[in-house]
Amino acid sequence: MAALAAGAGLVTLVAARRRPEPPACDLDRLIVRYGYQFACTIDPHGVILAVAPSRGAEVVRRGWREFALPAETRRIDRALEVGRTGLRGTTYSGWIATADGSLRWVDVHIWLDRGRSAAGPVVVAAGRDVTEERLRGIERVLRLTRELELAATTDPLTGLLNRRGLAQAQVRTWAATAATGRALSMLVVDIDHFKDFNDALGHASGDRVLVAIAAAIRSGPCREIGVPARYGGEEFVVLLPGIGADDARAVAEQLVRRVRRLDIGHPGRRGGSVTVTVGVATVYPRTGTPDDGQLFCAADSALFVAKRRGRDRVGVHT
């Protein structure tokens, strides 16, 4: 009898030390009551003891680390540790891997399961799959970011690149032409006597001229091969990647004629119309040698010389 009693005591002791296996129905009720989409219990060793709904039973007796992304492991571990203290619950929001290998974004509440804490601090993790909401949010942020970037690099009046957008485009075109060994040309376009036009007819009329000149720059060869921008005031710049000096000059002369044909009356020039003067420069960028502003300086210098010679013409840096 003594041996039988001792054996019964040993069985009782072993049973007491065995980790509890909570019934899934507790978790099912938790989901129904609080509107969670899933719930599980996790023992002190990180092993998933039970899960609800039951279709997720394949994860039972597996460690939660199997489903954590390496970058998220530390955050999840910290959240579980806070939950085990029993002082307060905590939350985790981030990506996890599912049993089938797909990634889902979840919002999870974690707290101590007080009814099972005698055998070790078992925690409950219950949450919702918010992947679609998260992706829609990310898409909205990306769309807004693109819109802000576009606004930050676009001249609102003409729709051309602004000075900031031009700088970014020039970095790209410089690298691209350097990689291919081709030429990079630049036109600097200035509206002749624009201050006189504004003084005579006002800034609203001046704005309409700027829009008309921008449209002229965008059309023709510049539309197909150029990167046009409003540099500031009445000055425009056109990048011509892959275009040599002779072809760049031809594009500039065509632009001067196109603006002349617009026949926009200029009250400050008796019997005259709005015209432009264009400076042209060409370089052959080298890989590893960044643009230091020499191309713009050369084209601007050619523009200055052309203006001194009478405007409404093209000047080429040599």
Side-chain angles (χ1 to χ4, degrees), residues 101-289:
S102 62
L103 296 179
R104 309 301 295 176
W105 187 283
V106 295
D107 286 343
V108 182
H109 290 88
I110 301 169
W111 66 90
L112 179 68
D113 186 349
R114 299 183 184 278
R116 296 170 175 81
S117 59
V122 174
V123 296
V124 178
R128 300 175 181 84
D129 182 343
V130 294
T131 306
E132 301 307 321
E133 298 171 29
R134 182 72 178 183
L135 291 178
R136 285 195 296 271
I138 292 174
E139 184 179 347
R140 284 194 297 270
V141 170
L142 291 176
R143 185 172 62 251
L144 179 60
T145 300
R146 288 192 296 268
E147 291 173 356
L148 291 175
E149 288 177 349
L150 181 62
T153 58
T154 303
D155 175 56
L157 177 63
T158 64
L160 301 180
L161 292 176
N162 61 17
R163 193 163 176 171
R164 177 180 178 183
L166 173 66
Q168 294 176 1
Q170 191 163 350
V171 170
R172 293 192 298 270
T173 54
W174 186 277
T177 50
T180 59
R182 303 179 70 188
L184 174 61
S185 294
M186 176 182 284
L187 312 184
V188 177
V189 183
D190 189 83
I191 303 176
D192 298 326
H193 304 292
F194 186 68
K195 183 178 183 303
D196 295 341
F197 185 96
N198 267 343
D199 290 345
L201 297 181
H203 289 285
S205 295
D207 285 350
R208 286 192 287 272
V209 169
L210 290 169
V211 171
I213 300 300
I217 291 173
R218 258 197 303 255
S219 62
C222 292
R223 179 176 185 177
E224 302 298 328
I225 60 177
V227 181
R230 183 183 177 193
Y231 193 75
E234 68 270 27
E235 199 164 63
F236 299 84
V237 169
V238 182
L239 290 171
L240 297 171
I243 303 301
D246 292 341
D247 288 337
R249 177 171 191 153
V251 170
E253 290 175 342
Q254 185 177 5
L255 175 60
V256 169
R257 292 193 297 270
R258 189 180 303 114
V259 172
R260 200 181 294 147
R261 287 196 299 269
L262 293 176
D263 197 25
I264 302 173
H266 195 313
R269 314 298 296 172
R270 181 175 297 179
S273 60
V274 171
T275 58
V276 297
T277 302
V278 184
V280 182
T282 301
V283 295
Y284 284 83
R286 291 183 297 174
T287 301
T289 304

Side-chain angles (χ1 to χ4, degrees), residues 10-48:
L10 180 59
V11 171
T12 302
L13 180 60
V14 170
R17 289 181 177 176
R18 183 183 302 161
R19 288 197 301 270
E21 297 187 14
C25 61
D26 292 348
L27 299 179
D28 288 330
R29 285 199 295 269
L30 181 67
I31 289 175
V32 172
R33 181 172 181 179
Y34 295 103
Y36 292 115
Q37 293 177 335
F38 60 86
C40 67
T41 50
I42 303 173
D43 77 0
H45 305 288
V47 176
I48 299 172

